[in-house]
Structure formats: structure tokens, C-alpha cells
């Protein structure tokens, strides 16, 4: 699991774009699948995207597919999420984590979370 620090959140208008970043430490980053969860107010935390460590296979939930793009930079121990065409329903706290990343799912084994970064989409 390691430790993660999320950044890049903020307030944007519907249709806008935002780039989130995740800095990892305490793990051999290049050997871990990493990805993003989000939690909207009064909602459960949900997986939205991940990228595998071995072949860079990516997963996107149906609600963000074709709008968000996940990437990683192993040399910098960082992961990013470029979010385009943002909608009010994207408003949530976004968290990064390690887990098992497949084309159709992102599963986390350890229920431990950091501060996350707040994304608010509003006009």
C-alpha cells in the first residue's frame, strides 16, 4: 500500500479540465498497480481508474471512461489523472491507492486512506 499524497484538486466549471497528481512513497512504486478512488458527499468510496505495473493496462469506470486519462511516471514515483469535460457529479474527494488493476475492475485490499484532494465542479 505505502503512503500517498494527492494534489491538484480545486473548483472548476462544468466542461472544464483538471489534472490530479499522486506522489507515492514507502513502496517499490514500479511494481505496484495504482489508481484512483473517489467519494462524493453521502456516497461510498468508488474506484474510477487504475493503471497496472507490468503492462500499463488501464481501467476506467463507466462514468469516467472517455473523459479521464490515467498515467504513471515510475521514475518520479507519481501517478496522474487528467480529467476532461467535468460534470457536477464528478464532485468528490479523490484518493490514490494501490490494488489489483484489471481492465474491468480496481480492487484494494487495505482499507487505509490519506487526505485525498477535493474536486468541486460547479457553475
Amino acid at each position: 500500500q505505502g503512503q500517498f499524497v494527492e494534489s491538484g484538486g480545486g473548483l472548476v466549471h462544468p466542461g472544464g479540465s483538471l489534472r490530479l497528481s499522486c506522489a507515492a512513497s514507502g513502496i517499490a512504486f514500479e511494481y505496484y498497480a495504482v489508481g484512483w478512488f473517489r467519494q462524493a458527499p453521502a456516497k461510498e468510496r468508488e474506484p474510477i481508474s487504475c493503471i497496472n505495473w507490468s503492462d500499463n493496462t488501464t481501467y476506467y469506470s463507466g462514468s469516467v471512461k472517455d473523459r479521464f486519462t490515467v498515467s504513471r511516471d515510475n521514475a518520479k514515483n507519481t501517478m496522474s489523472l487528467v480529467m476532461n469535460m467535468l460534470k457536477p457529479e464528478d464532485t468528490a474527494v479523490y484518493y490514490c491507492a494501490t490494488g489489483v488493476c484489471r481492465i474491468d475492475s480496481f480492487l484494494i485490499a487495505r482499507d487505509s486512506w490519506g487526505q485525498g484532494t477535493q474536486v468541486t465542479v460547479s457553475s
Side-chain angles (χ1 to χ4, degrees):
Q1 285 79 15
Q3 294 181 325
F4 301 95
V5 178
E6 302 92 344
S7 63
L11 174 64
V12 296
H13 292 161
S17 298
L18 205 59
R19 184 178 186 271
L20 305 184
S21 294
C22 172
S25 63
I27 62 171
F29 181 79
E30 65 268 36
Y31 299 122
Y32 281 81
V34 291
W36 296 90
F37 282 69
R38 70 183 182 187
Q39 187 169 24
K43 300 292 184 181
E44 293 296 314
R45 187 179 285 108
E46 63 172 341
I48 58 168
S49 184
C50 63
I51 181 167
N52 210 357
W53 68 273
S54 59
D55 58 3
N56 285 341
T57 296
T58 56
Y59 156 77
Y60 299 95
S61 69
S63 61
V64 309
K65 187 176 179 61
D66 298 327
R67 297 190 297 119
F68 293 8
T69 302
V70 67
S71 63
R72 65 189 298 162
D73 187 339
N74 290 339
K76 298 180 180 179
N77 288 355
T78 59
M79 173 184 58
S80 297
L81 185 69
V82 175
M83 306 183 295
N84 295 316
M85 297 299 296
L86 284 161
K87 305 174 181 179
E89 51 263 45
D90 294 319
T91 296
V93 178
Y94 285 70
Y95 303 88
C96 52
T98 65
V100 178
C101 184
R102 299 188 175 99
I103 194 168
D104 60 348
S105 64
F106 180 38
L107 304 177
I108 187 168
R110 184 169 179 264
D111 191 19
S112 180
W113 308 94
Q115 292 293 314
T117 186
Q118 176 72 51
V119 172
T120 302
V121 185
S122 176
S123 59

